[in-house]
Amino acid sequence: MLFKRNNRKADHFRPWLVMIAFLFYALLSNAQYSMNERCIAAYNKILRLHFKEAHSLLNFEKTENPSNPIPVYLDNYIDFLTLFIGEERTQYDHLKNQIQSRITLLEKGNRNSPLYLFTIAEVNLQWAFIRLKFGDYTTAALEIRRSYQQFSDNQKKFPDFIPNQLGLGIIHIIAGLVPENYRWVAKLAGINGSVEKGLSEINNLAYYDGADKVFRMFRQEAVFYLSVVSSNLTRDKITAMNNLQIIETSDSLIYSPLFVFTRVSLLMKNGQNDKARQILETRITNKETYPFYYLDYLEGMSRLNKLDLKSGFFFQKYLTEFKGINYIKAAYQKLAWIGLLKGDTSAYNKYLEMVRRAGNSIIDEDKQALSEAEKGILPNVTLLRARLLFDGGYYDHALHELLDNPLKTFLRTKKEFVEYAYRLGRIYHENGNMAKAVQYYRQTIDRGKTEPYYYAAAASFQMGIIYENQKQFRKADSAYRLCLSIRSPEYKTSLGQKAKAGLNRLKKYTY
């Protein structure tokens, strides 16, 4: 009897449940995308990594305007940045289960809105980036393809909706970096592109100066991507510095940890270490901001580049607080270098053992650190000092390190002679003496192209940059191809990407 009574109670409530479900579905089916002031404010909080405040705004929006799908998209943006910055696998395993439910909710929105396909494509692209970071390459490729189709369809339907070009630009850059022998895979997926085309598309949004508040909102994101890509894949320092100026003239961007990272990366890669260090030392940190521990790593590097041996504090801080997967081996390597620069070889060996045991070897910096640890060859202190000073933009000091002592007093092995030539080439290159730079790059290639170190491949790439700037395009083509042909495991990914970007730039010339 009890069982039957409960069944009758369930039968009593079932019509109400069906009605509620029908009303909820009807509400979502007519959902209107509204990027209103509250959602724009939440987006701005997200870019500043103020996730708690963003969640509060989004929860209020869900209560006040439950048919608006935009909070679903912005919730995903928070997860994307949380995983991209924090890199915690347990969070990844938990949050990835929410992807499909979010896309399902977004798909119930108004199909006649330019934000319909745009937000779905963004969610797919964001998760593709996360999958790549955590090594799920097959799913990432499928999501990139899906995202590209959605952005392309949206562009055809709403050609004046400029934010489309942000996602299209990013995917075109990715397609442009695919090796020639795998280009057929991209074409099979219907994706053709180049770094140059992608940057041009992102530029359209980054430099937008109109009145549309949604376009202006996404402009910030475009500036971020433009800065990251231009600092890593282009040869044009003027463009990189122009991107920096956009950030530094915007009060709304300058204090965000994301844009602190962008500014510092641009400055350090363009030899302005002192300014980068000043920004890192004066950055604002508080409990309301999601922690961006990689900035501690960068502060350690900015100090180490000036041979400040107290920089180990920041690498230790990074290792203690960061729970993610990357730059662990690299941080231990920097602690090992500090020990070596202090003359403490036991400390060097202790930290190199941690390089072998801790972290992952996914990114180039960690791979190079592991390579050093596995080879067990003590770095040449003079060359190490010159390398660090060069990386900080202290070119004259780096040159003195190399030239003030007779070679026989500090060079002993073939590797050291190869590195010596490479370091001189880099210094003369940055000081504007291209003839001497090419001379030493050639020495590096001749002596090191069969060695398991990155110097010859990097010298080939840098020689390609010189020839490209001199409009000697045939020589530039040969140099970039030589870079790709040298099979060094160190910095293979980043050097390969840069060489491919160079070859793509050369396609517009006849030579």
Side-chain angles (χ1 to χ4, degrees):
M1 290 295 294
L2 182 62
F3 177 74
K4 289 181 178 178
R5 277 200 298 272
N6 281 341
N7 266 349
R8 281 197 293 271
K9 186 177 281 189
D11 290 340
H12 177 73
F13 282 109
R14 189 171 290 120
W16 290 99
L17 292 171
V18 170
M19 185 177 293
I20 290 169
F22 175 78
L23 289 172
F24 183 68
Y25 180 80
L27 189 67
L28 285 174
S29 298
N30 293 297
Q32 298 296 320
Y33 289 84
S34 175
M35 192 65 80
N36 54 38
E37 294 300 328
R38 188 182 296 124
C39 290
I40 291 174
Y43 175 87
N44 289 329
K45 294 290 185 185
I46 292 168
L47 281 189
R48 282 144 195 78
L49 309 189
H50 294 168
F51 295 158
K52 289 182 181 178
E53 294 177 53
H55 274 306
S56 296
L57 288 166
L58 293 174
N59 288 337
F60 189 51
E61 175 67 15
K62 290 171 189 175
T63 302
E64 292 288 305
N65 193 5
S67 65
N68 184 9
I70 292 297
V72 176
Y73 159 66
L74 293 177
D75 278 338
N76 192 80
Y77 208 149
I78 292 172
D79 288 353
F80 164 65
L81 289 175
T82 298
L83 291 170
F84 203 80
I85 294 169
E87 299 181 353
E88 292 191 38
R89 184 167 289 280
T90 52
Q91 283 187 317
Y92 169 69
D93 291 336
H94 169 67
L95 293 173
K96 69 182 181 181
N97 297 322
Q98 300 186 38
I99 305 169
Q100 192 51 54
S101 61
R102 284 178 176 160
I103 288 176
T104 299
L105 288 172
L106 291 171
E107 285 175 340
K108 290 176 181 176
N110 179 8
R111 291 173 177 262
N112 293 318
S113 168
L115 288 166
Y116 170 75
L117 278 175
F118 174 81
T119 55
I120 297 170
E122 280 265 289
V123 168
N124 277 312
L125 187 58
Q126 287 169 0
W127 274 98
F129 285 149
I130 296 303
R131 307 271 198 196
L132 289 171
K133 186 175 279 285
F134 286 93
D136 188 354
Y137 302 117
T138 302
T139 307
L142 292 171
E143 286 172 335
I144 289 172
R145 181 177 183 273
R146 194 178 302 131
S147 176
Y148 181 70
Q149 290 174 332
Q150 291 158 345
F151 279 125
S152 298
D153 290 346
N154 209 40
Q155 181 68 14
K156 290 175 186 175
K157 196 171 181 180
F158 303 99
D160 296 328
F161 188 69
I162 301 176
N164 284 327
Q165 296 190 41
L166 176 59
L168 286 171
I170 293 168
I171 296 172
H172 284 145
I173 288 168
I174 294 170
L177 296 174
V178 174
E180 288 289 340
N181 53 328
Y182 290 103
R183 193 62 57 83
W184 64 272
V185 178
K187 288 182 178 178
L188 193 65
I191 303 173
N192 287 299
S194 67
V195 173
E196 193 172 51
K197 180 179 181 181
L199 284 172
S200 175
E201 289 168 324
I202 298 173
N203 260 306
N204 290 335
L205 182 57
Y207 286 91
Y208 174 78
D209 198 30
D212 190 294
K213 63 182 182 180
V214 175
F215 294 5
R216 293 185 72 86
M217 180 189 89
F218 285 113
R219 179 176 179 264
Q220 302 171 78
E221 192 176 341
V223 170
F224 173 76
Y225 282 112
L226 187 64
S227 301
V228 171
V229 173
S230 64
S231 69
N232 284 284
L233 296 177
T234 70
R235 72 193 194 285
D236 189 350
K237 289 188 178 182
I238 294 174
T239 300
M241 290 297 102
N242 286 342
N243 296 333
L244 180 67
Q245 191 175 13
I246 295 176
I247 299 170
E248 293 187 337
T249 54
S250 172
D251 291 337
S252 63
L253 297 180
I254 198 168
Y255 298 113
S256 165
L258 276 178
F259 291 94
V260 168
F261 158 72
T262 306
R263 293 167 70 202
V264 166
S265 297
L266 283 168
L267 289 166
M268 291 179 75
K269 287 176 181 177
N270 286 280
Q272 298 187 38
N273 191 72
D274 288 337
K275 187 174 180 181
R277 177 174 171 174
Q278 183 183 17
I279 291 169
L280 288 164
E281 288 175 348
T282 58
R283 72 186 188 272
I284 298 171
T285 57
N286 56 59
K287 292 181 180 180
E288 299 302 314
T289 305
Y290 184 79
F292 199 156
Y293 295 118
Y294 182 61
L295 295 178
D296 293 321
Y297 179 92
L298 287 178
E299 185 162 357
M301 284 308 311
S302 72
R303 290 168 179 266
L304 185 55
N305 284 342
K306 207 167 184 177
L307 304 183
D308 176 357
L309 302 186
K310 294 180 181 178
S311 55
F313 168 81
F314 295 94
F315 296 117
Q316 291 282 17
K317 186 173 187 290
Y318 177 77
L319 290 166
T320 300
E321 297 181 346
F322 183 61
K323 306 303 178 188
I325 58 178
N326 293 318
Y327 291 97
I328 304 298
K329 292 183 185 298
Y332 278 117
Q333 180 196 42
K334 303 312 177 289
L335 289 170
W337 287 358
I338 292 168
L340 191 63
L341 292 169
K342 289 178 177 178
D344 187 349
T345 54
S346 63
Y348 172 81
N349 290 323
K350 179 186 78 171
Y351 286 120
L352 225 59
E353 179 58 30
M354 291 304 299
V355 172
R356 297 184 192 98
R357 291 167 48 192
N360 297 270
S361 52
I362 299 169
I363 60 171
D364 279 343
E365 288 81 355
D366 288 328
K367 288 177 182 176
Q368 196 278 328
L370 182 59
S371 176
E372 179 181 326
E374 288 177 336
K375 288 182 175 72
I377 300 172
L378 205 68
N380 182 299
V381 174
T382 300
L383 293 175
L384 179 58
R385 288 169 63 87
R387 171 184 181 171
L388 292 168
L389 288 166
F390 173 85
D391 288 346
Y394 310 112
Y395 305 130
D396 290 339
H397 288 87
L399 193 60
H400 283 302
E401 285 284 340
L402 298 177
L403 298 183
D404 283 357
N405 300 297
L407 298 188
K408 63 182 180 181
T409 63
F410 68 95
L411 293 183
R412 294 175 178 82
T413 66
K414 182 177 181 180
K415 173 186 180 294
E416 290 176 355
F417 276 97
V418 173
E419 183 179 356
Y420 175 79
Y422 175 70
R423 299 288 167 217
L424 282 175
R426 294 295 292 121
I427 294 167
Y428 284 123
H429 189 166
E430 291 302 324
N431 274 338
N433 190 335
M434 301 307 167
K436 275 201 168 184
V438 169
Q439 174 191 335
Y440 283 107
Y441 286 151
R442 288 194 183 282
Q443 282 187 25
T444 305
I445 294 164
D446 291 341
R447 293 173 177 175
K449 62 186 175 185
T450 59
E451 298 296 313
Y453 308 106
Y454 70 92
Y455 309 120
S460 303
F461 169 72
Q462 294 297 338
M463 208 157 61
I465 291 289
I466 291 173
Y467 287 137
E468 185 180 352
N469 287 336
Q470 292 175 343
K471 302 190 184 305
Q472 298 187 61
F473 301 125
R474 194 177 298 278
K475 287 184 176 181
D477 183 287
S478 297
Y480 289 139
R481 292 186 188 279
L482 179 59
C483 173
L484 290 170
S485 71
I486 296 173
R487 300 189 177 279
S488 165
E490 298 180 339
Y491 298 108
K492 181 179 179 180
T493 302
S494 57
L495 281 170
Q497 288 175 342
K498 291 174 183 177
K500 290 166 203 164
L503 288 170
N504 280 327
R505 289 194 301 271
L506 294 178
K507 287 180 178 178
K508 62 183 177 182
Y509 302 108
T510 302
Y511 53 93

